[in-house]
Structure formats: C-alpha cells, structure tokens
Amino acid sequence: MGAAILTIVAMPHLDIVTNVTILNGVAVISALLQVITQCSAKERNRFLLPSIIAFVLILLGYALFLFLYIMKDPTDFKMIIWVGLAVGASFLVSFNWWEGYLRLISKSSSSVFLRELCRDMRRCQNMLNILTSLLRIAVTTCVIGAYVPLVKMDWNIVTSLPSREAKIIAIIIGVQLISSALCHWFSLVACKMHALRRCFILPLYLASLAVIVLTSLNGTSINFSGYCNQVVDGRNPSLNGSVFPQLVLDVTHTLCFLDIIYFPLILSMIFFSGSALSWWLGLVLATLHLWYLSLYRIQRTQDLFMRRLYEGGFLEQSLLLNTRFDIQTTCCKTKLHDSLCVFLCATMWHETYDEMMKMLISIFRIFININKGLFKKQQQIPDQKIVTTPYGGRLVVTMPHGNSIMVHFKDKELIRHKKRWSQVMYLYYLLGWKVSTKYFKRWEKGWGDGELNKEFEHNTYILALDGDTDFQPAAVMLLIDRLKMYPRVGAACGRIHPTGSGPMVWYQKFEYAVGHWLQKTAEHVFGCVLCSPGCFSLFRAAALMDDNVMKRYSIKSSKAQHYIQYDQAEDRWLCTLLLKQGWRVEYNAASDAYTNAPEEFKEFYNQRRRWGPSTMANIVDLLGSATLISQRNPSMSRTYMVYQLFNLASSILTPSTVILLIAGQAFSWFMFLTVLLDIQPNGALIMALIPPAIFLGISFKIKPDTQIVIAAIMGTLYAFLMMITAIIIIGTMVKDKTILTPSSLFLIALASFYVITALMHPQEIGLVCFGLLYILCIPSSYLLLSIYSMVNMNNVSWGTRETPPAAAAATQAASAPQTTKFVALKFYIYLQDEEQFFRELTAKYLEPLSENKKEQKNMANKLKEFRNKITFVYFIFNTFWLLATFTLQLSKSPVFIQVPKVDINLHYTGEYITIGPVGFMFLLTFIFLVLIQFLAMLHHRMCTLIHYVAFLDTESMSEQQKEQQSLKEVHTTAIILLLLLGWESPEAP
C-alpha cells in the first residue's frame, strides 16, 4: 500500500527532485530494526552507533521536509495532505525489509513462537512471494479505484488518453521495467563477482547524490525569479513540441518554488538541501555494514538478499536495504572460510611413467600454491613407511601442512580388482574409516552432533582422478565453490581436454568441445549433468554416503544388464544413483583438466564400445523412474526428462539418419550417387543401405579385431565420399547462384553454428580447425561405431590399457632417481583396528570373485541373449525409420513442402524447393535441438564468466589483505589434503 500511495497519489503533486530525494527516507524502519537487532544480540556491535545516527538523521530530514512545505502556504491544505501522504507512505514502504531483521532477532530471542514463525516463512518463501505479489496488485488497483473519484477525476480522462500521451506513458513504463530489471540483474552479478563496493554500493549511493548536487547550487549568485517567470511559468511555446525540454522545466520548477516562498532564498536552500542531505546520509549510515559484508564467490541470491523481490519505483534504495544484514561484533568478524577436507583419489592401471608424472605434478602444484618457496630449498627425504595390509601393501609419504600421499598396492588374490571395486575400497576407507574415526574422536572431546554433521556435509569432498590427469589448483577451487555454495550439489565436473597426437585425438578434441559446449551446458541449465567423468570430478562425501548410493554402487553384477550399466561406465552409474537420491550434478566450464585420449583407431572403438551401451542403459534407467526422480530431485523436472527422452530417441535413430544423409534424402546432403551415376533417390537409398547392412550381418560372425579393420576401411571411404559431397554442394551453389537449397542451407547453418559457438569460447576457438575432420568422420563415428558397439555389447572387457606399458617406460620408471630413496625404508606394523576394518570390508564387499567356469559360461550366454534382444530393438527402430522414408519416396506422396527459390540477390527465380515431410521434420528437430542447446550455452557462459571473474577477485586489496586471502585459500584447499592411489597389480587381468 505504501508504494501505491507514494507513487500514484502523492508523487504526482510533487516535483521530480523532491520525489527523488524523499525516496532515501525509506530507510527509517530499517535503521530502527538494525538498532533493535544489534541491541538484542547481547554483544558489542560495531554498527550500533551508525544505525542510531542514521535513524536520527532520517527523522530530521522528514522534519525539515514537512516544515519547508507547510510554511510555504499554511492555508494550502491540499499540499499539506499530499506532503503528509508522501511521508506516511514512505514510512509504510520502509516496512518492506523487516523479514531479515526478524530472523536475526529470533536467533537471539528465547521466544519459541518467533523461531517457528521464521522457520515456516523460510519454508514457504516462494509461496509467500507469489501471494504478496498478487496482494500488491490488488491493493494497487484499490488505491487507483479510490483515488480517481476522491479527487473528482473523470474516468474518461484515464481511459481515453490521446495516442501521443499514451505512447509516451507506455514508453516510460517500458523503459522503467527494462532498466530496473537490468539494474537488479547487474547488481546481483556485481555481488557474485566480489565487486560489491565499486560496482554495487558506490554507484547506488551516487545515483541519489547526483540529484542532490544539482539542487545544492549557490543560490545567492543566481536570480531564479526572472528565469522562472520567463521560462518555467511562461512555458516557452517553442519548447512545447518536445518531451525532454518539458522534463527539464519540471526539474527546475523545484528551484523556482524555493525562490518564491516566504523565506529568503538562502534559508530555503538550506532547509531543502538539509532535508535531502539528511536522508542521503541516513541511507548511507543505514547501509554502512555493506562495506564490510563477507560474501562467498557466486553467493546464492537467497543468501545475498532478504527478499527475492525488488521495488522498481525506488530501485537503488531497495537494492541497498534488501541486502543481507550481518551482526558483526567489535572483537571479530564473521568466519567465512572454513577448513575443507579434500581427498584426491586416483585409480591406476597400466599407466606409463610420463602419465603418472602428470598427475603427481598436478598434486605438487597444490603444495606450491600453498607455499611458493616450499621446493626452492633442498628438501630432506619425507617421512615414508611401507606397511603390509590385508589387501596387499601400502606406501605412506608424509607431505607438508599435515597432508599425506598413500599408494595402495592391490593383490587380486586378496581383494577384488577392477576400477569400480577400487573406488568402493577407497571410498569406504576414507569415509567409513578415516573420516568416521576423526569425527568419533572429536565427539569424545565434546563436539556437538550439529557441528560434526555440518563439517561432514559441507566440508568433506572427494576429488576423483585418473592416473594421467593434469590440472591446476584453480580448477579444484572452482569445483569446490560449486559444492560449497549449493548444499544440494552432490558432484561437479570440469571441462575435460583430451591430449595426445594424431587424427584420432584431433577428432576427439572437437568432439569433446562440442559435447561440453552444448550438451553438458544444456544438461546443467535445464536439469542435471547425467555423467560427471571419473577423470576429474569432485564429489560431496555426504552425497556418496547417502542412502542407496554407495550401498547400491557396491552391488555385485548378477544380471546381464548389470555388467553393461554398472561396470562399463562406473562414473555414469554413480551419477545415476546420485540423481535418483535427489542430488544435483553440475558442470563448471572454467575448471580445466587434461587427460590422455586414445590415439589408435582400435583403442578408440573399444572405449566407445563401452560408453555407448552403458550411456543408453543409464538413461533408460532414469527415464524408467522419471516420476519418482521428478518428485525427489527438484532439478530433474518432467520437461527435462522429456528432453532426455528426445535425446535418447535421436541417438537410437542416428545410424538410419546417417544412411539417409549418405543417400541424398532428408536434406539431399550427399549428391555423389545421384549426380555422377544418375541414380534416383530410391536407388541411392538402397545403395547407401547395402554396405552398413553387410557390415552388420558379418559382425555377428567375425572377431572384433576384424570388425575394427573393416570399419576403418569403410570409414576412410565414407570420409572421401563426404569430401566429394561437400565439393559438389559448393559447386552447385556457385552454378545455381543460390544458397537456398536444402543441402547448402544445412551445410552453411552447421558450419555457422559451430563457428559462432566457438567464438563464445575464445580460448578454444582454434578447435574449429578440427571441425572439418569431425564432419568427415560422421559416418564412421555415428554409423559404423554404433553397429560395432551394439554387436559387441556382450563383450564386457575394459578394451583399453589391456596390456602393460612398454618395457622402455617401465625401465625409465625403475631408473628414475626418486625410487632410490626407498631403499632404506623400514617396515612398520599395521594398526590392528584398521586391519580389522579392511578385513570386514573385504568380507562384505570386496572378496575376490570366484572363477567358476560354468557360471562364467552361463553369464556369457546371458550376455549374448541380452545383446541379441537389444540389438534387434535398436535396429528395428532404424529399419522403421528407413522404411517410412522409402515408402514416401516410392509412392510419390503428395505430402511435401514447397519453399520459393531465390538467387544470391534474393530475387525469386520462379522455381520451388521441395522438401519431403520426413526431411522437414528432421529439419525442425535439428533446429529445435540446436536452439535449445545454444540458449543454454549463452546462459552458462554468462554464469561461467561471473564465477571466473569472482575467482580472480575484482576488489582491490592491500598486500596484507592479499596475504590473508592466500592463507584463507590454503585452509580451503589443502589443510587436510590426502591423495590415495589405488594401483592394480600388474598381474591382475
């Protein structure tokens, strides 16, 4: 009601400058609540005196304002009413920001009612915002309905405005809405970027001060009487045709009013400037705590502002007063940076010396980031020990700052091997033993359950690594920010860059880039990332130990589909369990990590043979529980599940779609057969179908290695075909002098889309050079690889790193000087309690699997049966898609779409482009998918920019502050850092 009365009833009767200055007085109740809040805190508060002074100054401003306007003409009762309404309405407006102070008062109060009220308000915050917005609309309508008849205004004046005035009002309202929304968004961005002082507080202060400066002119040297009589009151007719000069005249009307009242001019200026300055100083003092406000990077909006709503009519005051108020005592500041426990865990299997050195160097970068002079001096050999364990052996190296490196050597005769079981081992060891033991000791010392739960839920993380991962300390900090800031984020992954050399790596560089640029960002924005890769991902310990996460992750595969879903892509399976349990998985594009990619064609195909079926199995599992997941996980909406269903259908129909592209159907993309051999589209479709059909048929009979050789040959031929097709399309565009053909439009749109997407990632724009190779390899990657993956689904071997590293690499590792330091190490007796823990863990989860030939043969048969069923369903859908297209072409269906054909000058040529219904649906599908992913990418790029700038810290700091900030980062990253390396024994298969 206060905002409606102030803006609709009172302000139209006052001048612009007065309206701007009186808005600073809405801080009166906030200042009073600050005093009450700090007095009830039972501690000495550093901002108690400024809050008291602010309250007094704002009341003084109201007193001067009332005295000035009433003394102008004591008989003008209407003006007295408008002034009184303005003051009363501003008091009502100042009640807008009481919620945040009530929460602080309830914390220090013994009233149970207050605490329950605040708790209920937090739970129903969104519903309360909706109801209050509807109530504000109703109240504003009532105020307008009551105001018009009270002032004896004719409704026709309101409803029948001239077109010019209506247009001006609409423009002003539109500008106000857009500018206020943008200002609110930029203010939020400034706070998240840690630019609170220079980009948020200072500009909002100066916005009101600029108007006050204009009114604080030296009145004694300017004769306003003549100016007002001739220009303002006379309203120069030459200025009536423009809106802006009238606006300026309305502003100067304040100065003229001050010159014609009964007081001398200098006294009038003192009263008016005094009231304006008192309000402004009161606002500054009431928000003085903002200069010392402690914020995290990318602070959550709900933790930054008291209310999610803002007041567009007095935006700067609303933003300043709505910002969170913290009680800061005179003895210490609010603790912002807590010590974190980050366990860096890597599983190794046949890594070479160079690959392991990449990861170790990345680990040591963290120590260098903590203490840059740590390794400048000659260091003594660290404290090291080798202990025997129930699973093999363990090497422990004590590092600086209380950290340690542990290398676990597994014996396959004593404990279950392979990557998933190595992860089960180190997760239960770290979280079920190390962390639990530490917390139990603290509990015995008197720590409360709430403190221990908070540290475990918010301060304990697992960083999963591969043995060849290369990363910087900043990449880890960016992932920690996501989990630290958002309690429901269970895992976060970074941007993975494949490394290596050769055409296969070049292809993967662009493939990884497109997947992260578009697919990962779309999943992050619209829902959750479905796979956080195990080579570089940060997991929340509380999420991993949640119900049905680690418990189900440690289940032994007993069915054919389990081997595909559980063991072939364990990182995706773990994320599926987190999503089902209601945790969110996110992607941070600024967190870069580098890992080796397959350089050989065979290794690449075997890797994707694992990834493809397991990806579909996990997505089908999520879709099968879509209703339950949507209820349990707020980020996984039904709409997002439909989007994933659409992606799944697209991936299933990928082979037939590629065949259509090769045949010249859909967008007539490949014209090679139809142009050179003069073959009709139906004949081209049949000829394009024959090679993959033969490859599919013989793949069931020949060995996987032979399949890969055939796929390599066919992929090379298809690449040449793609190149010839591209040349033909370009030649056709030049010959016909038009680009408006389906094939040319598709080619240009695809190239433009990739280029624009790359421009949004300037640091990776060079990857566009590999885009041509990516397009040439589409038949091999999306047709032949799909056939190979489905046919060999029953092969559940890892497929990569099956053989030990070369002898040269092993010799290099053996001859390295670091290993000579372990000669004089002594053996230590293993702790009895920890030994008992591993024995119980092994007995429950990690006993070596029995090699029963009969059971293995039985499971191999079940895997083949499962492969046959899934392969039949997979390719029957592709067959239906091809048959639908073939039937429409054969029957020459009249159902088609005609598009006028124009030349390069956009002149109509008299011809039409005919697009079949199937092709048109494919076009719409492609455009829809690309548009969704592109919009998601824009949003994600902006969020990434905000986070990265916040990480760089935009506020200027002194050298002492920088040193303190560095110490805070140390406590955040590595105060209890532990590296655990699970290294499979070379004998393990």
Side-chain angles (χ1 to χ4, degrees):
M1 179 179 290
I5 295 176
L6 183 63
T7 57
I8 298 174
V9 179
M11 281 187 170
H13 299 277
L14 303 175
D15 55 87
I16 292 178
V17 178
T18 302
N19 289 334
V20 171
T21 55
I22 198 177
L23 293 179
N24 292 329
V26 298
V28 56
I29 300 299
S30 295
L32 178 61
L33 290 175
Q34 288 179 17
V35 174
I36 298 174
T37 301
Q38 295 178 91
C39 290
S40 63
K42 302 176 183 179
E43 290 183 279
R44 296 181 61 189
N45 302 293
R46 60 192 310 190
F47 294 117
L48 179 59
L49 182 60
S51 298
I52 296 175
I53 297 176
F55 181 69
V56 173
L57 284 175
I58 295 174
L59 291 181
L60 177 62
Y62 280 119
L64 294 175
F65 174 74
L66 290 172
F67 182 79
L68 179 64
Y69 268 85
I70 291 175
M71 292 305 297
K72 170 195 173 184
D73 188 0
T75 61
D76 190 354
F77 294 105
K78 287 187 176 181
M79 178 57 68
I80 295 175
I81 292 174
W82 304 136
V83 171
L85 286 175
V87 174
S90 62
F91 267 87
L92 292 177
V93 169
S94 63
F95 280 97
N96 270 328
W97 305 282
W98 59 271
E99 299 176 22
Y101 301 104
L102 181 63
R103 294 173 185 173
L104 294 175
I105 294 173
S106 66
K107 291 180 181 179
S108 56
S109 174
S110 59
S111 174
V112 179
F113 172 76
L114 277 180
R115 295 180 181 178
E116 292 181 351
L117 177 63
C118 294
R119 185 181 67 250
D120 294 339
M121 288 175 57
R122 284 195 299 269
R123 292 177 178 176
C124 307
Q125 189 68 45
N126 293 331
M127 184 58 65
L128 287 176
N129 289 335
I130 295 174
L131 293 178
T132 53
S133 298
L134 295 176
L135 183 62
R136 286 164 65 92
I137 294 174
V139 170
T140 302
T141 304
C142 294
V143 169
I144 296 175
Y147 172 68
V148 172
L150 284 177
V151 297
K152 299 180 181 180
M153 185 185 299
D154 191 356
W155 277 103
N156 293 329
I157 299 176
V158 181
T159 58
S160 59
L161 289 174
S163 59
R164 181 175 179 272
E165 283 73 7
K167 186 182 297 185
I168 292 174
I169 293 175
I171 293 174
I172 293 175
I173 294 176
V175 170
Q176 168 67 16
L177 292 176
I178 296 174
S179 60
S180 60
L182 288 176
C183 183
H184 177 263
W185 184 80
F186 279 113
S187 300
L188 182 62
V189 169
C191 295
K192 288 179 177 288
M193 284 183 171
H194 270 195
L196 183 67
R197 298 180 182 89
R198 67 175 66 171
C199 296
F200 178 73
I201 303 175
L202 196 59
L204 293 180
Y205 283 166
L206 296 178
S208 300
L209 185 61
V211 178
I212 297 176
V213 170
L214 292 177
T215 61
S216 300
L217 301 175
N218 187 2
T220 57
S221 59
I222 301 177
N223 183 10
F224 284 110
S225 300
Y227 173 77
C228 295
N229 294 331
Q230 298 176 12
V231 181
V232 179
D233 295 337
R235 294 291 180 180
N236 192 335
S238 63
L239 301 177
N240 289 337
S242 179
V243 178
F244 182 74
Q246 294 183 14
L247 182 65
V248 176
L249 293 175
D250 198 9
V251 173
T252 57
H253 180 71
T254 299
L255 305 179
C256 299
F257 159 74
L258 295 175
D259 194 31
I260 59 178
I261 61 175
Y262 301 138
F263 293 132
L265 177 61
I266 184 63
L267 189 60
S268 303
M269 293 295 296
I270 290 175
F271 271 92
F272 183 79
S273 300
S275 63
L277 189 60
S278 297
W279 282 329
W280 184 80
L281 289 176
L283 177 66
V284 170
L285 291 175
T287 56
L288 186 64
H289 63 279
L290 298 182
W291 292 88
Y292 304 91
L293 188 64
S294 298
L295 296 177
Y296 289 107
R297 290 187 289 265
I298 58 170
Q299 181 81 47
R300 290 188 301 174
T301 305
Q302 66 188 49
D303 295 332
L304 180 62
F305 293 127
M306 301 178 188
R307 303 170 67 241
R308 296 297 298 269
L309 305 177
Y310 64 92
E311 303 291 340
F314 30 93
L315 186 63
E316 59 269 26
Q317 294 83 7
S318 171
L319 291 173
L320 289 170
L321 298 174
N322 193 32
T323 308
R324 187 185 79 229
F325 178 77
D326 287 339
I327 298 177
Q328 297 191 13
T329 61
T330 56
C331 58
C332 61
K333 295 184 180 180
T334 302
K335 185 178 181 181
L336 181 65
H337 296 271
D338 298 325
S339 298
L340 302 182
C341 177
V342 182
F343 297 100
L344 280 70
C345 306
T347 55
M348 290 189 175
W349 172 243
H350 287 170
E351 272 78 8
T352 64
Y353 173 79
D354 292 334
E355 290 173 338
M356 289 186 288
M357 285 302 298
K358 285 183 180 180
M359 187 196 61
L360 292 177
I361 290 174
S362 300
I363 300 300
F364 278 89
R365 287 195 190 109
I366 297 179
F367 293 108
I368 295 175
N369 188 56
I370 296 173
N371 186 356
K372 298 186 181 301
L374 184 62
F375 299 103
K376 290 183 178 180
K377 300 179 181 179
Q378 182 68 29
Q379 298 292 320
Q380 299 293 328
I381 298 177
D383 183 18
Q384 309 167 37
K385 58 183 176 181
I386 297 178
V387 295
T388 57
T389 63
Y391 54 84
R394 183 176 69 186
L395 168 66
V396 182
V397 181
T398 302
M399 300 300 294
H401 300 284
N403 301 294
S404 59
I405 295 179
M406 297 183 181
V407 184
H408 295 259
F409 297 90
K410 294 173 57 180
D411 186 348
K412 70 171 184 176
E413 302 295 336
L414 300 175
I415 196 168
R416 198 173 299 174
H417 59 88
K418 292 191 177 180
K419 185 174 183 179
R420 181 159 71 99
W421 302 115
S422 295
Q423 292 177 334
V424 170
M425 170 188 159
Y426 71 62
L427 287 176
Y428 273 119
Y429 169 64
L430 293 174
L431 305 180
W433 173 256
K434 298 284 289 186
V435 175
S436 299
T437 303
K438 179 183 69 174
Y439 289 167
F440 180 75
K441 292 179 180 179
R442 291 183 178 180
W443 180 78
E444 288 182 329
K445 294 179 180 179
W447 282 48
D449 293 339
E451 294 176 305
L452 295 176
N453 290 333
K454 179 181 178 182
E455 183 171 353
F456 179 71
E457 293 177 1
H458 302 292
N459 298 335
T460 306
Y461 307 108
I462 299 287
L463 181 64
L465 301 169
D466 277 351
D468 56 1
T469 305
D470 184 13
F471 61 93
Q472 296 290 335
V476 182
M477 284 303 306
L478 291 170
L479 294 183
I480 290 176
D481 284 344
R482 303 301 306 182
L483 274 70
K484 184 71 176 176
M485 208 60 254
Y486 301 96
R488 292 308 301 172
V489 176
C493 62
R495 167 71 165 94
I496 308 301
H497 300 265
T499 59
S501 59
M504 286 310 308
V505 177
W506 300 341
Y507 168 84
Q508 292 174 83
K509 284 179 179 290
F510 190 79
E511 181 197 32
Y512 273 64
V514 172
H516 285 85
W517 293 348
L518 301 174
Q519 185 176 353
K520 274 281 196 294
T521 55
E523 291 178 349
H524 174 95
V525 172
F526 298 123
C528 288
V529 175
L530 300 188
C531 179
S532 187
C535 60
F536 187 73
S537 294
L538 189 70
F539 294 90
R540 188 186 300 275
L544 295 174
M545 299 304 290
D546 200 358
D547 295 337
N548 294 322
V549 177
M550 280 304 300
K551 185 176 180 180
R552 291 196 62 189
Y553 189 67
S554 57
I555 292 177
K556 183 175 66 174
S557 300
S558 58
K559 298 181 181 179
Q561 57 266 32
H562 292 172
Y563 284 90
I564 296 171
Q565 183 179 2
Y566 297 177
D567 297 326
Q568 297 297 287
E570 74 293 329
D571 47 6
R572 186 175 286 273
W573 166 234
L574 182 57
C575 290
T576 299
L577 295 175
L578 290 173
L579 296 174
K580 283 186 172 183
Q581 201 59 27
W583 294 95
R584 177 172 171 79
V585 182
E586 292 192 346
Y587 162 63
N588 191 311
S591 178
D592 296 304
Y594 301 83
T595 185
N596 286 357
E599 298 182 355
E600 301 294 334
F601 189 82
K602 176 183 176 180
E603 189 179 6
F604 171 77
Y605 257 51
N606 283 327
Q607 182 193 66
R608 301 311 168 92
R609 181 255 301 160
R610 291 188 292 109
W611 289 2
S614 63
T615 297
M616 285 194 290
N618 280 280
I619 293 178
V620 170
D621 188 10
L622 288 172
L623 294 175
S625 308
T627 303
L628 179 62
I629 294 174
S630 299
Q631 295 173 354
R632 182 174 295 177
N633 195 329
S635 300
M636 304 282 285
S637 63
R638 295 179 182 270
T639 305
Y640 179 69
M641 301 304 286
V642 172
Y643 168 77
Q644 288 300 331
L645 177 63
F646 177 78
N647 281 339
L648 178 64
S650 301
S651 63
I652 292 175
L653 298 177
T654 295
S656 57
T657 304
V658 174
I659 292 175
L660 290 175
L661 294 177
I662 295 174
Q665 183 54 30
F667 299 97
S668 301
W669 214 50
F670 304 112
M671 303 293 294
F672 178 66
L673 296 176
T674 57
V675 172
L676 297 185
L677 303 180
D678 193 22
I679 296 176
Q680 297 301 317
N682 289 334
L685 177 59
I686 295 175
M687 292 186 65
L689 182 60
I690 291 175
I694 295 175
F695 179 63
L696 173 62
I698 65 175
S699 294
F700 286 95
K701 299 297 182 181
I702 60 179
K703 295 180 179 181
D705 290 347
T706 309
Q707 297 175 33
I708 292 177
V709 173
I710 297 175
I713 297 173
M714 294 181 64
T716 304
L717 295 177
Y718 276 131
F720 282 112
L721 178 62
M722 298 281 290
M723 186 178 298
I724 294 174
T725 303
I727 296 174
I728 292 176
I729 292 175
I730 296 174
T732 303
M733 290 191 301
V734 175
K735 178 182 177 181
D736 297 342
K737 296 181 179 181
T738 181
I739 61 172
L740 292 183
T741 61
S743 55
S744 58
L745 282 177
F746 184 77
L747 182 63
I748 294 174
L750 187 65
S752 302
F753 173 69
Y754 284 146
V755 171
I756 294 174
T757 304
L759 290 175
M760 300 297 297
H761 303 76
Q763 291 182 328
E764 305 177 50
I765 194 172
L767 297 178
V768 175
C769 301
F770 303 131
L772 177 61
L773 178 62
Y774 177 82
I775 295 175
L776 296 180
C777 293
I778 285 178
S780 176
S781 302
Y782 293 94
L783 175 60
L784 302 178
L785 180 57
S786 299
I787 295 174
Y788 177 78
S789 299
M790 300 306 296
V791 171
N792 295 278
M793 187 188 302
N794 59 312
N795 184 359
V796 293
S797 63
W798 201 248
T800 57
R801 298 185 183 272
E802 292 292 339
T803 58
T811 303
Q812 182 184 9
S815 61
Q818 288 84 346
T819 59
T820 61
K821 297 179 180 180
F822 300 107
V823 176
L825 293 178
K826 299 180 180 180
F827 287 87
Y828 288 81
I829 300 175
Y830 192 65
L831 294 176
Q832 187 68 28
D833 293 341
E834 192 167 321
E835 181 178 355
Q836 182 62 28
F837 167 79
F838 269 111
R839 293 190 186 280
E840 294 177 358
L841 177 64
T842 303
K844 189 172 183 178
Y845 297 114
L846 300 174
E847 281 188 345
L849 298 175
S850 59
E851 296 183 1
N852 190 316
K853 300 295 182 182
K854 184 178 180 180
E855 291 182 0
Q856 291 179 355
K857 184 177 181 181
N858 185 30
M859 183 53 65
N861 293 332
K862 289 182 179 180
L863 284 168
K864 286 184 179 180
E865 292 177 3
F866 183 75
R867 184 271 312 267
N868 294 337
K869 293 178 182 178
I870 299 300
T871 302
F872 174 78
V873 174
Y874 183 84
F875 288 107
I876 202 66
F877 279 122
N878 284 274
T879 303
F880 287 158
W881 179 252
L882 291 173
L883 284 177
T885 304
F886 182 79
T887 303
L888 288 174
Q889 289 184 354
L890 189 63
S891 61
K892 298 182 179 179
S893 173
V895 181
F896 55 86
I897 299 172
Q898 288 186 337
V899 180
K901 184 178 180 181
V902 297
D903 56 18
I904 297 179
N905 298 322
L906 300 181
H907 296 152
Y908 176 57
T909 60
E911 300 178 357
Y912 289 90
I913 301 171
T914 302
I915 303 177
V918 179
F920 183 72
M921 289 301 297
F922 184 84
L923 176 64
L924 289 181
T925 301
F926 177 79
I927 294 176
F928 176 74
L929 183 62
V930 165
L931 182 61
I932 286 180
Q933 293 182 344
F934 186 78
L935 294 177
M937 181 200 66
L938 292 179
H939 179 270
H940 194 268
R941 292 306 294 168
M942 183 58 64
C943 295
T944 302
L945 177 63
I946 293 172
H947 191 181
Y948 186 71
V949 173
F951 182 77
L952 297 179
D953 206 343
T954 57
E955 295 289 354
S956 59
M957 295 186 295
S958 63
E959 292 298 326
Q960 183 178 3
Q961 289 175 325
K962 290 180 180 180
E963 184 178 354
Q964 293 176 353
Q965 180 70 18
S966 177
L967 291 175
K968 290 178 182 180
E969 298 294 337
V970 171
H971 287 293
T972 304
T973 56
I975 192 67
I976 317 176
L977 182 65
L978 172 68
L979 171 65
L980 182 146
L981 303 179
W983 191 4
E984 300 281 5
S985 60
E987 295 80 15

